[in-house]
Amino acid sequence: MAVTTDIDRLAIDTIRTLSIDGVQQANSGHPGAPMGAAPMAYVLWTRFLRHAPTHPDWPDRDRFVLSAGHASMLLYSLLHLTGYDLPLDELMRFRQWGSKTPGHPEYGLTPGVEATTGPLGQGFANAVGMAIAERRLGYEFNREGHQIVDHWTYAIASDGDLQEGIASEAASLAGHLRLRKLVVLYDDNHVQLDGPTSMAWSEDVPKRFEAYGWHAARVEDGNDLDGIEAAINEARDDDRPSLIAVRTHIGYGSPHKQDTQKAHGSPLGPDEVRLTKEAYGWDPDRTFYVPADALSLFRQAVTEGERRVEQWNEKLARYAEGHVDLAEEFLRRVDRRLKPGWDAGLKTYAVGEEIATRNASQDAINGLAPTLPELFGGAADLSESNLTDIKGEAQFGAEEPGRNLRFGVREHGMGGAANGIAYHGGFIPYDATFLTFSDYMRGAVRLGALAGLHVVHVWTHDSIGLGEDGPTHQSVEQYAALRAIPNLWFVRPGDANETAAAWALAVERRDGPVALALTRQKLPVLEGTAEKAREGVARGGYVLRDAAGGAPGLIIIGTGSELQLAMAAGGTLDDDGIPTRVVSLPCWERFEAQDQAYRDSVLPPDVRKRVSVEVGVSLGWERWVGDEGAIIGLDHFGASAPAGTIFEHFGFTADRVADVGRRVVRDGLKGRIPTLDGGHFGHMAARSAATGSHPTLKHGESGVDRTGGSDPGHS
């Protein structure tokens, strides 16, 4: 073993044996990667990483991301040994109920864990976002002679991480931006879960990264501590992001499982644990053993970290002497406090104006930008469609880290990088694409919700209303799919005032992501939203228009572009003698969080005749409509035509909503209401007819149960 000293060997084997014991005691986990990667992690944590175990939130700490989150016992061992608030008992409770050592690292649960990782490639993209945030924050606050933001982002990635597409997207972006303070150590052990990587992989990874614009290097022996140190030093001297491929051996030291997939995702087993510890020269009968000399070496991180924090505080105090306002602003930003009057630039729109909600979002972004400097983001090559640029601000590039990010057509990488910016702190990041392409970034969105990250997703062109681009670009199932993600607030505002309120909600949230679903087409500003939207959207739903002359006999519930249909239908039905309340329900998650009294005040339990209208799949609406109401939805794909034509053919008109409302009250119509022209599938219908695989759908038929359905003659 090419270690430098006996104490190095002892310390590295302490990491290895703690990892082995944690996995074995849990009878679950991944011992092989920690055993092979322990030397590179040891070099990084003891010779480079600037951190403070007793001050884990110190703003100028280096960030470390274990992208290979399945190797979590490696990270937990390091956190315990270096003095974070992670007692040895927690390592003994690895993967157990209530422990701080879950199977994969979870941000906010375990002190010192910088990112929730495990789904491969996500941590890599997070690290890219952290490096972006460090550069931008330093650009904003550093002044000559005062470097209060000056830290590095390090990551350990596996072959699986680098096989994932999200890592390729993020790596390409990082190379283009020349994020020089990003160093990734690649655990090149030649083995993955199914067997040798050669079964599915034959590329030269460092050359790929060189093509991305990275500095790339190799260390041929993963136990060569001096070689690893030299490679990291060389990386830090380069002006590009760096990948260091370190040739390791999975399950290092295991007589029968080293260099095999058997060491990857299963405990070694009692007999193999004994043999492996004997190979290390350790007592095989001792578990979770931490030699005093090794602990003393690792715990130097505590005193060194406290010294660094003290020095940085002194640096910040000197900075404040000459830059009082900047110092106060910096502390506000890292403390995640909003500036008084931050929302002064949000507009109020007059009834009768017509404006697409994506344009209202653009107004909100630019209205917030002067008083909310932490707002920072961009789009996936769609800034002119999503309308996300902050006017007058430069773009973030290799030369100047401006405020407008250009993610390129890299939706998944964008989502992971935006999460990384949020993990880093100092910003409220936002990203943007068409709503249908949120599918490409779902993995990142889900992890952001799990980790409670304050990210705003701006998703425009939110329905068949985008028109001629057709069903490939039209969102249908995305509403339901996104509402299914726990802790994601999905907001579909119905006009410009609700959009401004949605942005206020998104800014004020601290503990999770908010998604804004916005229209391409213009929508009228509705009566009542100027007065009611700010509070109503914050509560997820509210009464926009109440029944004329008394208690409602019918409730129409709408979201987004269909809210105008609900309003028009409500007026018609009132005139017809059916007292109708119109409820705007832009955010189900917020509405569900309100107390029962408020929810009942909006949707009285005794008013069981209800109609919902939303141009998306009907799944989920039954919870609001109940068993005596009707759901007007879209349970098939859209079509290519002007938006107005599509809405009319599918029956999303005010007259039809009113007709369905009459029939709910008069005839007891209930359940899912088919669209008028559910058979408009063009080549799909023709193909079905040719093959005989499915019956050809005719005009007015939808291919769904029409029990209680609508009359195709009504529009």
Side-chain angles (χ1 to χ4, degrees), residues 444-521:
V445 175
R446 181 179 187 274
L447 281 188
L450 174 61
L453 299 181
H454 190 195
V455 178
V456 183
H457 302 294
V458 181
W459 291 328
T460 70
H461 297 58
D462 79 331
S463 73
I464 59 172
L466 76 85
E468 292 86 344
D469 274 342
T472 59
H473 285 53
Q474 292 167 359
S475 303
V476 173
E477 74 278 19
Q478 280 76 18
Y479 308 155
L482 291 163
R483 286 169 177 150
I485 298 178
N487 200 40
L488 173 67
W489 293 357
F490 180 80
V491 190
R492 191 165 182 254
D495 74 354
N497 286 320
E498 285 201 350
T499 304
W503 261 106
L505 174 68
V507 169
E508 290 179 319
R509 185 172 197 195
R510 304 276 98 180
D511 58 353
V514 178
L516 308 181
L518 307 170
T519 67
R520 173 182 184 263
Q521 73 272 28

Side-chain angles (χ1 to χ4, degrees), residues 106-127:
E106 295 182 28
Y107 174 77
L109 175 66
T110 312
V113 170
E114 299 281 9
T116 298
T117 59
L120 292 171
Q122 294 288 339
F124 185 103
N126 297 159

Side-chain angles (χ1 to χ4, degrees), residues 173-257:
L173 178 63
H176 172 72
L177 296 176
R178 298 184 79 86
L179 299 175
R180 61 170 295 269
K181 295 172 84 172
L182 171 64
V183 177
V184 177
L185 298 171
Y186 163 36
D187 181 21
D188 183 14
N189 60 36
H190 293 198
V191 175
Q192 54 194 99
L193 187 59
D194 276 352
T197 56
S198 58
M199 295 187 307
W201 216 20
S202 54
E203 67 186 43
D204 187 322
V205 174
K207 284 185 178 178
R208 170 158 66 99
F209 274 74
E210 286 177 356
Y212 288 145
W214 287 53
H215 162 76
R218 291 184 183 273
V219 177
E220 296 297 342
D221 180 358
N223 293 311
D224 180 1
L225 307 189
D226 290 341
I228 295 168
E229 180 177 12
I232 297 174
N233 276 321
E234 183 181 355
R236 287 169 57 95
D237 288 338
D238 205 282
D239 65 352
R240 298 167 292 174
S242 295
L243 177 89
I244 304 170
V246 183
R247 177 65 174 102
T248 62
H249 295 273
I250 194 168
Y252 181 85
S254 170
H256 301 110
K257 296 187 177 183

Side-chain angles (χ1 to χ4, degrees), residues 618-619 629-633 635 670-674 703-709:
S618 55
L619 180 67
I631 301 168
I632 304 175
D635 289 304
K670 60 186 178 181
R672 186 175 52 149
I673 307 301
V704 298
D705 180 8
R706 294 183 63 85
T707 303

